[in-house]
C-alpha cells in the first residue's frame, strides 16, 4: 500500500505536521505531535479504523485518497507479467531438516 497522507493534506493547504495536528483537533482527534509526525513522514505499519475515519474527516477525503494499492509484484521487484510454476526453483515439497535422518514422524494412535 502506498500512504498518501501528505498529498491529501496538501490538497487542504496543510504543509507541516503541526498544521495537521490542528486540523485533527477540529474533528476531536488528539494524537500527540510525535504520532502525527510519524504518520506524516512514514508509512504506518498499522492504523486503527477509528483513527483512519478521523483522519479522513479532518482532511475531508476518503480512505482511497489516503491509501493506494500497489501491485505486489512491483513491491517485490519482479515484473508483473512474470509467472512461475510451483517447484520451478527447486523441490515443491519441504526438505527434511539436517540431522533428522530423513525419517518421517510416526502417525498418532487412533
Amino acid at each position: 500500500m502506498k500512504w498518501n497522507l501528505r498529498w491529501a493534506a496538501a490538497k487542504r493547504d496543510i504543509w507541516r505536521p503541526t498544521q495537521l495536528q490542528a486540523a485533527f483537533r477540529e474533528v476531536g482527534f488528539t494524537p500527540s505531535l510525535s504520532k502525527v509526525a510519524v504518520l506524516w513522514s512514514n508509512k504506518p505499519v498499522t492504523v486503527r479504523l477509528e483513527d483512519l475515519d478521523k483522519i479522513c474527516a479532518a482532511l475531508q477525503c476518503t480512505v482511497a485518497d489516503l491509501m493506494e494499492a500497489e501491485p505486489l509484484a512491483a513491491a517485490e521487484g519482479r515484473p508483473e507479467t512474470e509467472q512461475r510454476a510451483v517447484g520451478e526453483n527447486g523441490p515443491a515439497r519441504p526438505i527434511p531438516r539436517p540431522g533428522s535422518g530423513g525419517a518421517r514422524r510416526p502417525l498418532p494412535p487412533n
Side-chain angles (χ1 to χ4, degrees):
M1 295 298 285
K2 184 176 179 184
W3 182 241
N4 293 323
L5 178 68
R6 283 186 172 198
W7 179 80
K11 290 173 81 176
R12 285 226 30 235
D13 202 28
I14 295 173
W15 302 101
R16 295 176 176 243
T18 53
Q19 294 173 315
L20 184 61
Q21 187 180 33
F24 287 166
R25 268 189 252 121
E26 291 175 11
V27 296
F29 183 40
T30 56
S32 66
L33 184 56
S34 62
K35 182 175 179 177
V36 174
V38 167
L39 290 171
W40 183 263
S41 61
N42 301 319
K43 177 172 75 170
V45 175
T46 61
V47 179
R48 292 179 46 205
L49 293 177
E50 286 181 28
D51 294 351
L52 191 58
D53 192 36
K54 291 174 184 176
I55 292 169
C56 289
L59 297 177
Q60 299 170 354
C61 66
T62 65
V63 174
D65 295 329
L66 289 176
M67 294 188 284
E68 180 181 336
E70 292 180 313
L72 186 59
E76 293 176 358
R78 289 191 331 242
E80 287 185 54
T81 57
E82 179 184 339
Q83 294 183 0
R84 297 183 345 205
V86 175
E88 181 179 317
N89 293 334
R93 296 181 143 189
I95 299 171
R97 282 184 266 158
S100 67
R104 294 184 169 199
R105 291 186 181 176
L107 294 175
N110 286 340

